[in-house]
Amino acid sequence: MWTDPPVVCQWQEPRNLWTSNYINDYKFNEDKLTVQFRTGVLWPIGIATLRYGNMPYQGWDMKPDPEGKGVIITVTGVCITVTWLCIGNKVQLKWIANATTSALKEHFNKPYNVKRMVQLYSLKIMREAACDFFPDFDAHNQIEATCPKEWVMERHNYHAMAFLSRAYNFQWSRWNVGAGNRSIVMQIREAVDKQREAKFQLLQVTPQRATILKCMELSQEFSAEPIVGLQFYPDLFTLNMSYGSVDARRTSFNMKYRLVETVFDLLQELKVCSYS
């Protein structure tokens, strides 16, 4: 799934590194997905690409699975969109949209443990397909237009989102990157009533509190002013306990522990708040 023309390189044993110094007359045929080049030395040849070529995320969405008891997480990269389904303590790769090849299709709908998928399968499967959506701790040094969030706050927020994942629909916000590293901004709406769809509201989470904002996603300017009458809530979970509907509170209390941890683990690996 090349987002940019691949780079042909060779392994230089004396220096113990990959180099493209001896690659000449390089030609890449995008239609046939073939590469032509000349080289002056017969060293081992490899094809390289930018590891984070699909990042930063252009958007993400998390919502309850309308046809089951799972949670659907969709992440849109620069070129492709990947959808996962979390069920119990397993996660399935459901779909890859806008892919230029059929890579990874054989792994669709196969249940994987999140940590094992990330540590073993994603390292091998997704990176070999040039489709890495699991940034390392220092990925912000290699990706432009990102704002790494304070890790304790971000991790705590992912846990709260996981608890509420069957009751709410969460989406990215264009205000998040400019909010700074001590503030997470996203869109939120209740998703317990399938007959009546609620409107998205802006949610701001800081190390001190969680707030529903007065401004909207399409507002001309961002304002951190909360809606009228909103009380103090230290995090997203406690906000739901008072501000959420009875059905939303009941759904979050009935969440299965395995599903909560699966959603949390996947969010923690994707780091959607820091890279969108």
Side-chain angles (χ1 to χ4, degrees):
M1 298 180 185
W2 307 109
T3 56
D4 294 300
V7 177
V8 178
C9 51
Q10 293 180 288
W11 180 252
Q12 190 171 355
E13 187 67 33
R15 299 177 62 191
N16 201 33
L17 53 75
W18 290 96
T19 179
S20 58
N21 291 342
Y22 302 96
I23 303 297
N24 303 303
D25 298 337
Y26 172 86
K27 294 179 181 179
F28 174 63
N29 190 316
E30 189 173 354
D31 296 327
K32 297 181 179 180
L33 296 178
T34 59
V35 172
Q36 289 183 343
F37 61 92
R38 292 191 304 108
T39 179
V41 292
L42 288 177
W43 291 341
I45 298 173
I47 295 179
T49 185
L50 289 174
R51 175 178 172 184
Y52 299 120
N54 270 306
M55 299 178 72
Y57 304 134
Q58 305 301 296
W60 59 269
D61 179 271
M62 184 174 76
K63 61 185 178 182
D65 180 12
E67 300 177 357
K69 297 182 179 180
V71 175
I72 297 174
I73 299 178
T74 301
V75 178
T76 300
V78 174
C79 294
I80 64 173
T81 299
V82 182
T83 300
W84 290 272
L85 173 62
C86 299
I87 304 178
N89 61 346
K90 302 293 182 181
V91 59
Q92 300 176 9
L93 180 62
K94 295 298 292 183
W95 185 248
I96 298 180
N98 302 324
T100 55
T101 70
S102 60
L104 298 178
K105 276 193 174 181
E106 66 272 19
H107 300 283
F108 285 1
N109 299 316
K110 288 186 178 181
Y112 293 122
N113 174 278
V114 174
K115 290 187 177 180
R116 189 165 183 82
M117 180 188 72
V118 173
Q119 293 172 358
L120 298 179
Y121 293 99
S122 76
L123 296 180
K124 181 177 185 296
I125 297 170
M126 299 195 78
R127 288 182 188 175
E128 283 184 357
C131 175
D132 194 347
F133 273 91
F134 301 107
D136 280 341
F137 70 96
D138 61 346
H140 60 274
N141 294 318
Q142 307 170 47
I143 305 172
E144 296 181 355
T146 62
C147 181
K149 305 300 181 179
E150 187 178 75
W151 177 232
V152 176
M153 171 190 68
E154 185 179 12
R155 187 177 187 275
H156 183 77
N157 189 58
Y158 288 151
H159 233 149
M161 291 172 64
F163 267 106
L164 306 181
S165 57
R166 286 287 301 166
Y168 287 87
N169 179 192
F170 297 94
Q171 276 191 8
W172 76 290
S173 171
R174 66 192 180 105
W175 304 109
N176 182 56
V177 173
N181 67 333
R182 289 176 60 84
S183 177
I184 295 173
V185 180
M186 68 180 77
Q187 298 183 75
I188 182 175
R189 68 178 175 186
E190 286 194 12
V192 288
D193 189 349
K194 298 180 181 179
Q195 303 298 325
R196 185 175 58 186
E197 195 174 73
K199 292 183 178 180
F200 277 110
Q201 294 179 292
L202 275 187
L203 168 73
Q204 183 184 38
V205 178
T206 68
Q208 289 79 30
R209 65 184 301 179
T211 309
I212 300 295
L213 302 181
K214 182 182 290 187
C215 71
M216 307 296 290
E217 179 69 10
L218 299 179
S219 298
Q220 295 294 323
E221 295 182 354
F222 177 76
S223 171
E225 182 181 356
I227 59 176
V228 178
L230 187 71
Q231 299 178 8
F232 173 83
Y233 301 105
D235 60 12
L236 175 58
F237 186 80
T238 53
L239 184 148
N240 171 66
M241 291 300 98
S242 298
Y243 186 76
S245 67
V246 174
D247 290 336
R249 281 177 277 172
R250 183 185 298 114
T251 302
S252 60
F253 273 117
N254 291 334
M255 280 289 291
K256 301 296 183 182
Y257 174 77
R258 288 183 176 180
L259 179 59
V260 171
E261 290 304 303
T262 300
V263 174
F264 167 68
D265 287 341
L266 187 56
L267 289 174
Q268 191 172 222
E269 297 296 344
L270 290 169
K271 300 179 180 66
V272 292
C273 293
S274 287
Y275 293 95
S276 64

